[in-house]
Amino acid sequence: CTIRSGRQDVYVVGTDMDRDGNPMRRRGELFQGVMKAGESQTLKSTFGKLRYSYRLYNQSRSHGRIAADCRGNTIQLP
């Protein structure tokens, strides 16, 4: 799937999930870092499930542990 940032820079953590929706221990984090405004990051999930959290770069409040189906979908962040 693809994660796409919106109009602001965001700090993102994407974690691979197993079939039951639990974080995978071996692969763990697929991506962790800052995405510039309008930037996209493609992630490959083993079982098609992803959990992500993000924080707008200019704010301290984070939004986290959001589950998503990762089979060809685009996750649009604010």
Side-chain angles (χ1 to χ4, degrees), residues 4-49:
R4 181 174 293 135
S5 62
R7 296 181 185 184
Q8 298 181 37
D9 295 353
V10 291
Y11 176 78
V12 180
V13 177
T15 306
D16 200 5
M17 307 293 279
D18 66 13
R19 292 176 196 196
D20 298 323
N22 301 309
M24 291 187 65
R25 295 183 189 266
R26 286 193 176 171
R27 285 194 74 203
E29 291 179 357
L30 297 174
F31 177 78
Q32 178 178 355
V34 176
M35 294 176 59
K36 299 290 184 185
E39 187 176 61
S40 295
Q41 181 71 38
T42 301
L43 306 176
K44 183 164 174 63
S45 172
T46 305
F47 296 104
K49 297 178 182 179

